[in-house]
Amino acid sequence: MAEITKVRTANREEWKALRSRYIGGSDAAAVVGMNAYVSPYSLWAEKTGSLPGFSGNLATEVGAYLEEFVARKFSEITGKKVRRANQSFLNSDYPWAIANIDREIIGEDAGLEIKTTDTMNLKKFRGGEYPANYYVQSVHYLAVTGRQRWYLAVLIGNREFRWFTIERDEAEIAALMTAEADFWEHVKTGTPPEIDGSSGTTAALTALVFQRPQRGFQGRDKGDDPGPVALETLEQAPGQAQSLGP
């Protein structure tokens, strides 16, 4: 039986250091290629320490500010009481994974994921649907926490509020955890995943090229030359991107 551990950190810096050593819920969609901004390769570069991770922007800052409002709106509409979960969850069955959840549902074996998004994404919610990356993140949390149900509350462009229920599905959990385990092997061995033509991969390869040591007039030193792989791969990427098309 899996052992689930709850870990508290003293401050945000300590929490960020802890999270960097695992695959988190917001990383899960990138692992399976369902993140529009982060690819498996760029996530690998982050987790191996080759590149810094995403530090946030105005959109994520606004999302954090509105999180409490969305949680209260969810409670108001559903009648369900929620509380903060001020700790990280670890699961012995998935030693590479961590869960930092937005809220727990009081009196129910369930959790809540809170999202804010732009009105431009409204079309993604037509017909009762929601973005695939939200689903993958929720499946990750179901796996790590062992809960039976996950709720998703979304504020869309400060104009519409939607909420959804995601039931525990063992087959979906197994598929995602298998993909995460395979990805983590790449991290542990330092072996990059397959290059794709995504913008995330291209940005990561470009960053890796430009952080290479600068060489002076004395010529290059073998000791500080990371090799031609990153540059050669970057040059190949556009052709690979074309092969992904119809």
Side-chain angles (χ1 to χ4, degrees):
M1 185 175 180
E3 179 181 350
I4 298 173
T5 306
K6 299 179 181 180
V7 180
R8 288 185 180 273
T9 49
N11 51 54
R12 183 168 179 78
E13 291 306 312
E14 189 175 308
W15 170 77
K16 288 170 64 177
L18 173 68
R19 189 187 180 284
S20 68
R21 303 198 298 269
Y22 299 89
I23 296 174
S26 58
D27 299 324
V31 170
V32 293
M34 292 185 180
N35 187 310
Y37 306 102
V38 183
S39 68
Y41 184 90
S42 60
L43 181 63
W44 170 85
E46 174 190 336
K47 294 301 180 182
T48 55
S50 301
L51 290 175
F54 175 63
S55 58
N57 55 25
L58 184 58
T60 57
E61 186 177 344
V62 171
Y65 182 80
L66 291 172
E67 183 179 296
E68 181 60 25
F69 168 80
V70 179
R72 290 182 181 182
K73 194 68 176 175
F74 173 82
S75 293
E76 175 188 323
I77 291 176
T78 65
K80 299 179 184 296
K81 295 182 179 181
V82 303
R83 65 185 171 207
R84 291 181 180 273
N86 297 315
Q87 61 270 316
S88 300
F89 293 78
L90 302 175
N91 187 315
S92 60
D93 280 352
Y94 315 116
W96 63 84
I98 193 168
N100 296 284
I101 69 176
D102 290 332
R103 297 293 189 278
E104 295 176 306
I105 309 297
I106 299 174
E108 188 176 347
D109 193 18
L112 172 66
E113 175 61 21
I114 296 170
K115 295 292 187 184
T116 57
T117 190
D118 192 273
T119 308
M120 293 177 62
N121 293 319
L122 184 59
K123 62 182 179 181
K124 297 180 180 179
F125 295 87
R126 291 173 181 168
E129 297 182 350
Y130 50 88
N133 57 306
Y134 293 2
Y135 175 74
V136 174
Q137 185 171 359
S138 298
V139 171
H140 177 95
Y141 290 152
L142 285 164
V144 178
T145 65
R147 304 291 171 85
Q148 294 301 308
R149 183 177 298 113
W150 218 260
Y151 294 101
L152 177 62
V154 188
L155 180 65
I156 308 170
N158 296 340
R159 295 176 57 188
E160 293 198 32
F161 177 84
R162 307 278 179 90
W163 69 278
F164 308 89
T165 304
I166 300 169
E167 300 291 346
R168 186 179 182 88
D169 185 319
E170 297 298 341
E172 294 283 83
I173 288 173
L176 178 59
M177 292 298 104
T178 297
E180 289 189 9
D182 290 344
F183 174 82
W184 202 246
E185 281 300 311
H186 286 281
V187 174
K188 291 195 301 182
T189 62
T191 305
E194 184 177 352
I195 299 298
D196 57 29
S198 68
S199 60
T201 294
T202 301
L205 289 168
T206 302
L208 287 169
V209 168
F210 282 99
Q211 76 174 14
R212 302 170 86 189
Q214 298 296 312
R215 298 180 178 85
F217 294 107
Q218 300 301 317
R220 65 183 184 183
D221 186 304
K222 290 174 62 178
D224 64 7
D225 182 7
V229 176
L231 183 57
E232 290 175 355
T233 306
L234 179 60
E235 292 170 345
Q236 294 167 8
Q240 295 190 16
Q242 293 170 7
S243 70
L244 296 175

